[in-house]
Amino acid sequence: MLALGALLLSGSPVEAQNAGQSGASPLPPVTVDAPTRPQRAAPQRRATASRSGASQRRDRQAANPSAQSQSRPATVSTAERVNAGTNGFVASRASGATKTDAPIMSTPGSVAVITRSEMDVRQAQSIRDLLRYAPGIYFSNDTDFRFQPVKARGFDVEQYLDGLRLQGGPFGTPRVDPYLLERAELITGPASILYGAASPGGILNLVSKRPTENPFGEVQLQTGTFDRIQGAFDVGGPVDKDKTLLYRVTGIGLGANTQVDNIGEEKYAIAPAWTWRPDIDTTITFLTSYRQDPKGGAFALLPIQGTLVPGTYGQIPRNFFAGDFNYESLKYKQATIGYEFEHRFDDIFTVRQNVRYLHNEVNYIEVQPGAFTTTGAGPTLRLADGRTIARSYFSTNENLNTFAADNQLQAKFNMGPLQHTVLAGFDYQRFDFNNLARYAPTNTLNILTPNYTQNIAVPTSAFQNMDQHLEQRGVYVQDEAKLGKLTVLGGIRYDWAEGNTLNLGTRVLNNDEKSSGRIGAIYNFDVGVAPYVSYSTSFQPTSVGLLSNGQPYKPTIGEQVEAGVKYQPVGYNLIFTAAVYDLKQQNVVSAIAGPGIPPNSNAQVGEVTSRGFEGSVVGSPLPGLSLRGQYSYLDNRIAAPLDVNYGKVLANTPMHTASLWANYVVQNGPAVGFGFGGGVRYMSEMYTTNANNLTVPTIVANSPALANIIPASTTFDAALSYDFGMRFNELKGLSAALNVNNVFDRSYVSVCTAGGCRWAVGRTVLATMTYRW
């Protein structure tokens, strides 16, 4: 890391670093302060018996623009705040880390931002694509796009959109296309202080595209592997000459086949947005979207024999389809509507309210492949023939409605030498869900002579018939106190979570209360070095259900201590980070065994510990050059002595991950505008189950195959681009790109459980043509 830093510091200063780095003409730049508006008559105001000094001052400012500029800048559009300080791959601020747009370099915690520029360079097509090179993140790189879970520090990362949680059903997980986003903010470690019930792994805050003051437009066409055809557009700007009303409309449509035969992918999404600024102190942005996926992609598991371990008849191909032509469908619909409101009373107090309603529907039918059929038991257990897969019928219809609101009051003031930014808030979440699911074993499939049009019996009885209502209310207060170069960030929160679940006649009531908090400090030296320490906690309600004693599950508790250092060389567009952490989750539901304990008993006695290191670099150190790199080490173990898997490593959790991406656009000469880049990703071996000792039968009795480890994988990505406008003025705004993931078409297993495995996505090629104006 030190050698790399020394090399990068030999480049040129920051002011020259952003030219042409993405290989396409950038959108017009935005500024933090709104431009000076033309003078206009003061608006009529309703007379009142008493006028406050602040109200009279705003009247004077509205009538006298020069007085306004001397007092304070006008409230800017949300797009300008989102993009403030963003330079290529580097963002200096993250709204999700503190909810106050605090600088990353003065936030005592691990924060990474994936900017729009980086998304464009790598042509991110999914949430997992967004985080492919992010520090500490790991995921299964397979063809299942129903959920797109990502993990950090041994735990799931909760997904949020514009600061509000994305809640989903079993299969109706909300879907957000990267093209509709301005950036993605990754905050690793417990974050319940601001967000309530959340995984200790952290949160991913996705930030929607917003209207801008500058008119612009973009159209994009894309083709590629598996007969991919995709089109997208993004247009916006001011509606009136005073720029009090702004708009933006973004849309995307995709039709493609997939790596698996007979499976298609199709989606359409549109996201209109408006910003209204009725006066210099008030802004409201309306964010809406609609998405429909007529085809949901490939999601089946395959048997372990023939994927992770050798099969009787060799390897099962990556493109093998194990379902049925008449029972393979996933249709998804999603609609959202919400707004972000901000009003500044004076130089001290600002109030905000963020609201979103989301509705989605899922209609899902699948004939699911399972394991190979077996015969015998105990020492005589073996595969029946090594070619027949057991299968089951599964269907579900889901309807989900969620509502989320976050109300904030911010106060910025000084108390002697201390500069305070105090944030107090109240948030509310509601989750209303119902589904009807059916499940039953069905016809088998011979992998050597598959019959995909069998007479599948549809079960008539319900496997699940659930009606679920969840609510969470939370109050929180946070203070960012600055004393010179020292920043101390602390806060506390209290939550009430209630659940009412009725499934097949059984009702489970949950009623939980929990406090959480954090405290941290960071010191910014003049040379750009900023060491920090922090302590944070979290809580997370567990799956709805009952323990062996008949009591409902209680929330798990997360607790983390972290120490790190951030380094931003003075005058260079680079940020280095390094952090060590000790994180544990308690109250985990665990399988227990022992004298006097009935079989299949469980209890909330579990504990999982995660200790590790994360180091990263992101920046644009030279004109036209952008890069992101990371290395993470994670020691993640089950630490409860009563757990039957005490001392074992959590399944599908790598100990080491590393990645590096670099992209360069030629800045002058006959090759000006040409860009080329590439990346490498490494993930170490992982266990398939928490027991770390999985075996599977083979065709020979009493000769099980060890299937406990998923081998390590290394894959390479590449990109070529050309910005026509950098060479030909008459073609300004036109660019082309070619992106290849898994360049060498490496075939490897990406995820495995005791129920089966999935192949990783093979080589994918994307050819993109973009025109911006």
Side-chain angles (χ1 to χ4, degrees):
M1 181 69 74
L2 292 177
L4 178 61
L7 174 63
L8 298 178
L9 291 181
S10 64
S12 59
V14 64
E15 56 267 19
Q17 290 162 0
N18 197 37
Q21 63 184 357
S22 66
S25 301
L27 296 179
V30 295
T31 57
V32 178
D33 296 336
T36 303
R37 300 179 187 172
Q39 185 170 348
R40 54 179 173 165
Q44 296 295 319
R45 297 179 182 265
R46 182 178 300 174
T48 58
S50 175
R51 305 281 300 280
S52 68
S55 176
Q56 295 175 25
R57 183 170 64 252
R58 284 195 297 273
D59 284 352
R60 291 194 299 269
Q61 291 168 357
N64 186 351
S66 62
Q68 169 186 323
S69 62
Q70 292 172 5
S71 173
R72 61 175 181 268
T75 295
V76 299
S77 70
T78 54
E80 292 172 283
R81 287 201 304 274
V82 164
N83 288 290
T86 301
N87 188 1
F89 280 23
V90 179
S92 63
R93 315 178 82 86
S95 60
T98 63
K99 291 187 177 180
T100 60
D101 293 324
I104 294 174
M105 288 298 295
S106 62
T107 301
S110 294
V111 182
V113 176
I114 311 300
T115 65
R116 183 69 249 172
S117 176
E118 184 173 351
M119 295 184 215
D120 289 339
V121 168
R122 295 195 287 105
Q123 283 298 314
Q125 301 295 311
S126 66
I127 298 302
R128 293 185 295 203
D129 276 353
L130 280 181
L131 302 173
R132 197 173 295 275
Y133 291 88
I137 290 293
Y138 57 95
F139 52 82
S140 173
N141 188 36
D142 58 58
T143 57
D144 187 353
F145 290 95
R146 292 172 299 176
F147 314 112
Q148 296 195 57
V150 295
K151 295 194 174 189
R153 302 186 177 184
F155 305 98
D156 289 333
V157 174
E158 303 282 355
Q159 294 186 21
Y160 286 70
L161 178 63
D162 302 317
L164 300 174
R165 186 181 178 188
L166 289 169
Q167 301 184 80
F171 294 94
T173 302
R175 303 182 177 193
V176 181
D177 193 280
Y179 189 77
L180 307 182
L181 299 177
E182 196 64 57
R183 58 161 59 188
E185 301 174 341
L186 176 66
I187 299 99
T188 45
S192 284
I193 166 62
L194 293 178
Y195 296 98
S199 164
I203 72 159
L204 173 66
N205 182 40
L206 306 172
V207 181
S208 301
K209 288 180 175 178
R210 290 158 163 76
T212 69
E213 290 191 345
N214 300 295
F216 73 93
E218 173 183 288
V219 292
Q220 187 179 92
L221 294 175
Q222 188 176 86
T223 186
T225 313
F226 310 124
D227 304 316
R228 183 185 189 91
I229 296 294
Q230 179 172 291
F233 68 91
D234 187 13
V235 295
V239 175
D240 61 333
K241 64 179 181 179
D242 293 327
K243 299 183 179 180
T244 59
L245 184 62
L246 315 174
Y247 83 98
R248 188 167 190 167
V249 182
T250 310
I252 188 170
L254 164 70
N257 293 318
T258 67
Q259 178 172 282
V260 179
D261 289 344
N262 308 307
I263 298 293
E265 182 182 3
E266 191 175 347
K267 67 180 177 183
Y268 307 96
I270 189 168
W274 304 267
T275 293
W276 181 41
R277 298 183 294 188
D279 57 52
I280 65 172
D281 293 320
T282 307
T283 297
I284 183 168
T285 296
F286 297 92
L287 299 168
T288 64
S289 69
Y290 178 78
R291 172 168 176 155
Q292 184 169 336
D293 292 25
K295 296 181 181 180
F299 25 80
L301 291 165
L302 293 173
I304 295 175
Q305 303 93 330
T307 52
L308 184 63
V309 301
T312 306
Y313 293 92
Q315 186 182 82
I316 301 175
R318 287 184 303 194
N319 65 334
F320 183 76
F321 174 64
D324 189 278
F325 289 161
N326 299 317
Y327 298 92
E328 191 75 29
S329 173
L330 193 153
K331 298 180 180 180
Y332 180 83
K333 296 179 181 179
Q334 175 181 294
T336 69
I337 184 170
Y339 64 83
E340 296 178 339
F341 170 79
E342 176 179 294
H343 177 73
R344 181 174 52 190
F345 291 100
D346 51 34
D347 293 333
I348 298 176
F349 293 103
T350 301
V351 65
R352 304 185 188 94
Q353 184 182 61
N354 301 336
V355 173
R356 183 178 64 244
Y357 168 80
L358 180 147
H359 170 79
N360 68 25
E361 302 173 9
V362 176
N363 294 287
Y364 172 32
I365 300 174
E366 182 187 18
V367 173
Q368 301 174 331
F372 283 112
T373 57
T374 59
T375 184
T380 64
L381 179 68
R382 66 178 184 86
L383 297 181
D385 54 20
R387 62 178 181 269
T388 302
I389 299 177
R391 298 190 300 173
S392 57
Y393 172 94
F394 178 79
S395 68
T396 183
N397 293 322
E398 299 182 4
N399 281 275
L400 173 67
N401 295 286
T402 68
F403 176 81
D406 187 11
N407 306 280
Q408 306 168 17
L409 175 63
Q410 178 179 297
K412 302 185 72 170
F413 57 91
N414 297 338
M415 293 184 64
L418 288 175
Q419 301 175 7
H420 291 273
T421 300
V422 177
L423 181 71
F426 168 76
D427 58 29
Y428 173 80
Q429 300 178 46
R430 181 177 176 88
F431 175 98
D432 294 297
F433 168 81
N434 63 75
N435 81 326
L436 177 62
R438 292 185 170 89
Y439 170 86
T442 191
N443 310 44
T444 61
L445 184 74
N446 187 325
I447 64 172
L448 301 182
T449 57
N451 179 2
Y452 294 129
T453 57
Q454 300 185 41
N455 185 19
I456 303 296
V458 177
T460 57
S461 59
F463 170 72
Q464 187 179 73
N465 188 359
M466 181 181 289
D467 187 26
Q468 186 175 55
H469 306 278
L470 307 175
E471 289 189 12
Q472 179 186 319
R473 302 178 303 278
V475 293
Y476 57 91
V477 62
Q478 173 186 267
D479 185 18
E480 300 169 64
K482 293 182 179 292
L483 179 61
K485 301 170 186 175
L486 175 68
T487 301
V488 177
L489 177 67
I492 191 168
R493 178 188 179 98
Y494 200 85
D495 280 279
W496 298 263
E498 301 172 357
N500 185 337
T501 302
L502 177 65
N503 183 30
L504 299 175
T506 300
R507 187 178 299 277
V508 178
L509 301 177
N510 295 75
N511 192 349
D512 303 306
E513 300 180 19
K514 188 63 184 174
S515 61
S516 54
R518 72 173 170 188
I519 183 71
I522 187 168
Y523 190 88
N524 291 91
F525 289 95
D526 292 336
V527 293
V529 176
Y532 69 90
V533 293
S534 69
Y535 170 81
S536 56
T537 64
S538 68
F539 85 101
Q540 184 179 28
T542 54
S543 300
V544 174
L546 298 175
L547 295 166
S548 302
N549 60 7
Q551 296 299 310
Y553 295 134
K554 296 296 181 183
T556 59
I557 301 169
E559 184 178 23
Q560 176 184 271
V561 176
E562 179 176 332
V565 61
K566 304 180 183 185
Y567 175 46
Q568 187 169 31
V570 178
Y572 290 86
N573 191 29
L574 277 168
I575 295 180
F576 297 87
T577 65
V580 293
Y581 58 88
D582 187 341
L583 171 61
K584 62 182 177 181
Q585 184 185 43
Q586 298 174 310
N587 221 20
V588 178
V589 178
S590 300
I592 58 175
I597 298 177
N600 302 318
S601 294
N602 54 40
Q604 286 192 272
V605 297
E607 179 178 312
V608 176
T609 61
S610 293
R611 300 181 176 93
F613 166 84
E614 293 171 359
S616 73
V617 57
V618 61
S620 300
L622 301 172
L625 175 66
S626 296
L627 60 86
R628 177 181 290 278
Q630 68 90 24
Y631 166 74
S632 301
Y633 167 79
L634 171 61
D635 184 6
N636 177 269
R637 298 186 182 275
I638 298 170
L642 292 179
D643 194 302
V644 295
N645 294 318
Y646 173 64
K648 303 297 179 63
V649 176
L650 282 186
N652 289 279
T653 303
M655 182 171 286
H656 304 276
T657 61
S659 61
L660 176 64
W661 171 274
N663 190 83
Y664 179 71
V665 177
V666 178
Q667 299 295 293
N668 48 57
V672 63
F674 276 102
F676 52 92
V680 57
R681 297 174 280 121
Y682 169 79
M683 184 178 295
S684 65
E685 64 183 24
M686 301 175 287
Y687 287 104
T688 54
T689 64
N690 288 350
N692 297 175
N693 61 0
L694 179 66
T695 60
V696 293
T698 65
I699 198 68
V700 180
N702 202 24
S703 299
L706 189 61
N708 64 325
I709 289 180
I710 304 171
S713 62
T714 302
T715 53
F716 295 85
D717 305 323
L720 295 173
S721 64
Y722 184 60
D723 186 339
F724 293 86
M726 293 182 70
R727 180 67 185 272
F728 308 101
N729 288 332
E730 63 274 19
L731 297 178
K732 183 178 181 181
L734 181 65
S735 63
L738 182 70
N739 292 75
V740 184
N741 292 330
N742 194 357
V743 172
F744 301 109
D745 200 23
R746 176 181 170 84
S747 180
Y748 64 98
V749 170
S750 184
V751 63
C752 268
T753 68
C757 302
R758 288 194 185 95
W759 292 111
V761 178
R763 182 193 298 119
T764 57
V765 179
L766 300 174
T768 308
M769 183 72 71
T770 304
Y771 179 65
R772 296 185 175 106
W773 67 91

